[in-house]
Amino acid sequence: MRITRKGVLLVSSLFLLTGCGGGSGTEALYSKEPASAPALPASEVANAVADGPLSPTEAFRLLEQGTFGPQLDDIMTAGEEGPESWINRQMQMPATFLGDGLRKANSDRWNEYVNVWWRHAIQADDQLRQRVAFALSQILVVSAHDGLSEEQFGLANYYDILLRHAFGNYRDLLEEVTLNPVMGEYLSMKGNRKPDTAENIHPDENYARELLQLFSIGQVLLNNDGSAQLDADGVPLPAYDQHTIEEFARVFTGWHFANAEDFRWPKNKDYLSPMVAWPDYHDTDPKTLLNGVTLPAGQSARQDLDGALDNIFSHPNVAPFISRQLIQRLVTSNPSPGYVRDVAAVFNRNAAGERGSLGSVVKAILMHREAREGHLDNPATFGKLKEPLLRVTQLWRAFEPDTIHYDFNYGWVGNELGQSPLNSPSVFNFFRPDFSQPGEIRNLGMVSPEFEILDESSIITATNRLLANTLWSHNYKNDADATRIAIDISREMVLEVDFDLLLDHLDLLLLGGRMTDELRSETVQLMNQRNYNGAASQRVVEAIFLIASSPEAAIQQ
């Protein structure tokens, strides 16, 4: 590593809105205050590191895990604060809601909610909340792919549920997700009817199946460390069967738009307010759920829904199943069994005796010794491939554009990066948490989720995006630049006279001090290989592009 204290000091010396409703006459869910974050100590998790100052490299690693990309000032601040103090401060920040930003933007433009998402990912102060909400959006998946692309406020409203509950309780989050009309549309719970033999009607199983399989417990019984429970023949034990799905499907009958005037063919469609129950269409027969729990006959749709969600939430699988996926999204693809077990224990019961506190879980994930020091203990297996979206947000955040003009349009990002918020190709997200790249990774019994969307095409298009965002778009030059984000390299231009100092700075800003000697040598060679004819800025942006597109920058470690 080639970070010099001189370089850090010189570079550093050079230098919230809460949402309201919109889109319909009904008050939107995102007008509510976010769930308050618990100020619980990191000591509640086994193997937590102590709070205290961090080196610049250590601060970079924390920000790489808990934000959409480290910024120089934040590296210095987080280093001075220490990990727990930084987390506590982030959790107490006001939420920056997607719906509020969309209301202020050109909401008539196709996919404008995606443009607002980019603005918030790059510029919002509540970075930890934004990053956790993005992680949750890849677990509790809805997608504009299935005819919902025109419902921009509905999609923003759904995402704001994830933002509001990012540090709240998972049971509360499950309830709001279940009753959200976008989810109701996406997984066909909305309009789900009780059995009717005369009309050959059977309850739709779609939401019941995905709620169990993807949103809560998974398909097989788990130990607290995330490993599968096995029978005598070494076969994983199923967590539920088809009959269980059918019973839950009957639970989720009788719900529709809050303003629907007809259950079967409504003309009124409120995508902002929670769905409401229609008693005549709800199945009131008894229902047998997980672990033999039975909902009695004669209950209302609301009583059955509450009972079913309580039944799921109390299942032992929820803690390891959700904890492991959050660790994967924030920290590392292959957490050790001990890491999962320690975080799951906090999910099951935090220091205040609460089950399902996401604030405590997130703190446990980021304060765990494996998150802070896993690169030292297991350098060959720790870390993860960065998602394409995160590579782009990191670049833009590192060079801090002064403003993102509302003419900016990157709503078509999915075509270029293979990812776009709330736009996965299926309920299984852009990639599966258990995907394993064929070859060495699979042979070692490891998983590599993000590799599922890594191929020759995505490598080329992602590299082209990094090229466009450096060589072709830096420092606003004219009004035409208003339609794109231009990185600001003014700070780097001051350092251009000293290549070593510039590379020390770029090493910290883009790689957290992990630049290899080979990459440094290649970058120096690039900057020296031709006469830039006084265009020093071209030399700087070429160096930035080479580093940002390198294999080192593609890995979060």
Side-chain angles (χ1 to χ4, degrees), residues 64-121:
E64 195 173 36
Q65 295 166 353
T67 74
F68 278 103
Q71 295 182 320
L72 189 64
D73 289 347
D74 290 340
I75 292 171
M76 303 306 162
T77 300
E80 293 170 357
E81 289 180 315
E84 186 169 14
S85 298
W86 180 83
I87 292 168
N88 286 342
R89 181 170 59 82
Q90 279 284 317
M91 285 187 172
Q92 296 303 325
M93 284 185 176
T96 307
F97 286 120
L98 190 60
D100 184 78
L102 180 60
R103 188 173 59 85
K104 296 177 180 178
N106 179 13
S107 59
D108 292 332
R109 186 164 59 177
W110 177 80
N111 259 18
E112 182 64 11
Y113 81 92
V114 178
N115 294 325
V116 177
W117 181 91
W118 280 107
R119 294 186 188 100
H120 291 180

Side-chain angles (χ1 to χ4, degrees), residues 28 71 104 136-137 156 243 248 361 432 469 474 493 515 545:
Q71 295 182 320
K104 296 177 180 178
L136 290 170
S137 76
H243 178 68
F248 273 99
V361 167
R432 296 290 300 271
N469 291 344
H474 56 88
M493 289 301 298
M515 185 182 292
F545 169 67

Side-chain angles (χ1 to χ4, degrees), residues 92 99 127 137 167 246 316 439 492:
Q92 296 303 325
Q127 279 288 301
S137 76
F167 309 134
E246 293 170 359
E492 287 66 38

Side-chain angles (χ1 to χ4, degrees), residues 232-281:
D233 297 319
V235 177
L237 295 169
Y240 55 87
D241 57 19
Q242 175 60 26
H243 178 68
T244 309
I245 294 173
E246 293 170 359
E247 295 290 277
F248 273 99
R250 293 169 51 226
V251 168
F252 301 119
T253 53
W255 295 90
H256 221 302
F257 287 121
N259 65 342
E261 80 291 348
D262 180 83
F263 192 85
R264 299 191 185 191
W265 307 106
K267 296 180 181 179
N268 299 327
K269 298 180 179 181
D270 180 356
Y271 281 98
L272 298 180
S273 302
M275 294 186 291
V276 299
W278 290 57
D280 290 346
Y281 293 90

Side-chain angles (χ1 to χ4, degrees), residues 7 28 40 67 96 117 165 171 230 259 293 305 313 318 331 378 411 415 417 436 447-448 473 476 487 507 521 525:
L40 299 175
T67 74
T96 307
W117 181 91
H165 290 284
R171 168 62 175 79
L230 309 177
N259 65 342
V293 172
L305 183 138
F313 181 63
V318 179
V331 177
N378 302 292
N415 298 333
L417 299 181
S436 182
V447 299
S448 52
S473 187
Y476 288 108
I487 64 172
D507 182 13
S521 176
Q525 181 180 356

Side-chain angles (χ1 to χ4, degrees), residues 19-24 26-32 97-103 113 142 151-165 173 176-177 179-183 270-275 422:
C20 26
S24 85
T26 306
E27 181 182 359
L29 286 179
Y30 54 75
S31 66
K32 297 179 181 177
F97 286 120
L98 190 60
D100 184 78
L102 180 60
R103 188 173 59 85
Y113 81 92
V142 301
E151 303 301 332
Q152 295 207 68
F153 279 100
L155 290 167
N157 178 43
Y158 181 82
Y159 199 83
D160 286 343
I161 292 174
L162 309 180
L163 285 163
R164 189 166 61 255
H165 290 284
L173 175 58
E176 283 213 44
V177 163
L179 291 179
N180 181 265
V182 168
M183 177 62 79
D270 180 356
Y271 281 98
L272 298 180
S273 302
M275 294 186 291
L422 299 184

